[in-house]
Amino acid sequence: MGNKDITDFNEAQLRKRAASKEELNICLTNNYAFQKIFKNEEIVKGFLIALLHLKETDIEELEVTDPFVEGEVKEEKEGILDVKLILNGGKKINIEMQNTYQEDWAERSLFYNCRMFTEGLKKGESYYELPPCIHVGILDFNYLKSPGFYHRILLKDDTTGELYSSKFQFHVIELSKIATTKGKARKQDLYKWAKLISASTWEEIREESEGNHYMEKVRDEMIKMRVRDIFI
């Protein structure tokens, strides 16, 4: 059926589906669904507010860009990121969803962050002009030995803890550790985002998104994806 059939699909029926315990036909841990949903600027804005502890007014500009990462020379490895964006006209952010275990995940994240960090710097420009780069890895498996579902990794002096540079950051969200998360971490907005991303039923989608308009946008976009599957 066509677009009119999708548009005319009864709103009450959509909400009924979202409130049900029916399993999702496609979860956000699926790369296709993740890319489609998180390339929505409004949705990724809400996620970044939770991840980076920002206020809505802190995000003055947000641009979802071409995810292709080109090698500097013909022989160098290229790559395609899940979601690549520029925040406030400078800061570069790469968000990757990985649902299968990758032994070389650390090296992969280093590769992408280094490429983002150096790309675009022209002859005569100061290294100081290199923008901050943040790599966000959302993993559906355990990678780090330390507990907790969320890890922020910075360049620091090993002895004193003094920050060497804030321009190179790694944020790791391990969805498999959500169930064992305790205390204050369960009250964080990022925890709710992690639960939303890992949800496997419409009931979980409804519970986690309710009351947050960014997460409700995720729910609505997932409903639209489900409707398209029904009609197409």
Side-chain angles (χ1 to χ4, degrees):
M1 296 188 181
N3 291 333
K4 186 176 185 300
D5 298 306
I6 296 175
T7 303
D8 291 344
F9 197 75
N10 187 275
E11 181 73 14
Q13 289 178 290
L14 295 183
R15 295 292 169 252
K16 182 179 179 180
R17 183 176 297 282
S20 74
K21 295 183 179 181
E22 178 186 349
E23 289 189 0
L24 297 172
N25 59 315
I26 184 168
C27 300
L28 279 172
T29 51
N30 174 279
N31 282 89
Y32 167 78
F34 182 83
Q35 290 177 31
K36 193 169 184 63
I37 296 294
F38 274 76
K39 284 182 179 178
N40 181 297
E41 290 186 8
E42 186 71 4
I43 288 172
V44 80
K45 176 181 178 181
F47 176 74
L48 290 179
I49 287 172
L51 177 74
L52 303 177
H53 304 288
L54 301 174
K55 299 177 182 177
E56 289 193 3
T57 53
D58 290 333
I59 299 181
E60 300 171 356
E61 181 183 356
L62 182 63
E63 176 189 0
V64 178
T65 66
D66 185 352
F68 184 71
V69 178
E70 187 175 7
E72 293 183 9
V73 296
K74 183 178 179 181
E75 292 77 15
E76 285 191 341
K77 188 177 179 67
E78 299 169 340
I80 299 179
L81 310 173
D82 284 346
V83 181
K84 182 181 177 184
L85 50 99
I86 298 175
L87 180 63
N88 292 342
K91 184 179 292 183
K92 298 177 182 178
I93 302 174
N94 165 34
I95 306 174
E96 292 262 330
M97 175 70 233
Q98 185 62 52
N99 53 29
T100 57
Y101 180 75
Q102 300 289 314
E103 188 176 6
D104 62 351
W105 180 257
E107 290 76 15
R108 175 174 172 168
S109 61
L110 282 164
F111 172 81
Y112 281 130
N113 228 12
C114 287
R115 275 287 168 79
M116 283 203 307
F117 190 60
T118 59
E119 68 180 358
L121 187 69
K122 298 179 176 60
K123 287 184 179 180
E125 292 182 335
S126 169
Y127 292 116
Y128 186 77
E129 296 180 58
L130 286 166
C133 283
I134 296 175
H135 182 279
V136 183
I138 304 174
L139 313 180
D140 200 18
F141 56 87
N142 286 349
Y143 187 76
L144 296 169
K145 293 180 181 179
S146 53
F149 79 99
Y150 169 64
H151 313 269
R152 184 168 68 109
I153 301 164
L154 306 173
L155 295 176
K156 290 186 175 183
D157 183 286
D158 187 46
T159 303
T160 66
E162 182 181 355
L163 185 65
Y164 185 69
S165 174
S166 62
K167 288 191 172 184
F168 217 58
Q169 298 183 25
F170 299 87
H171 297 252
V172 180
I173 297 171
E174 296 177 292
L175 301 179
S176 55
K177 294 180 180 178
I178 290 175
T180 57
T181 299
K182 299 178 181 179
K184 294 181 180 179
R186 296 177 68 93
K187 298 180 180 180
Q188 296 176 0
D189 286 341
L190 186 61
Y191 176 77
K192 290 182 67 67
W193 274 99
K195 290 196 71 177
L196 182 66
I197 293 169
S198 64
S200 60
T201 68
W202 284 109
E203 182 181 35
E204 289 175 312
I205 292 291
R206 178 185 59 79
E207 288 176 352
E208 300 307 327
S209 64
E210 197 168 26
N212 182 304
H213 72 274
Y214 294 112
M215 296 186 194
E216 288 175 351
K217 180 73 173 177
V218 173
R219 176 202 64 197
D220 293 345
E221 291 301 310
M222 292 186 73
I223 291 173
K224 290 177 185 177
M225 288 177 64
R226 170 60 177 162
V227 174
R228 291 189 191 101
D229 288 342
I230 293 172
F231 282 113
I232 296 173

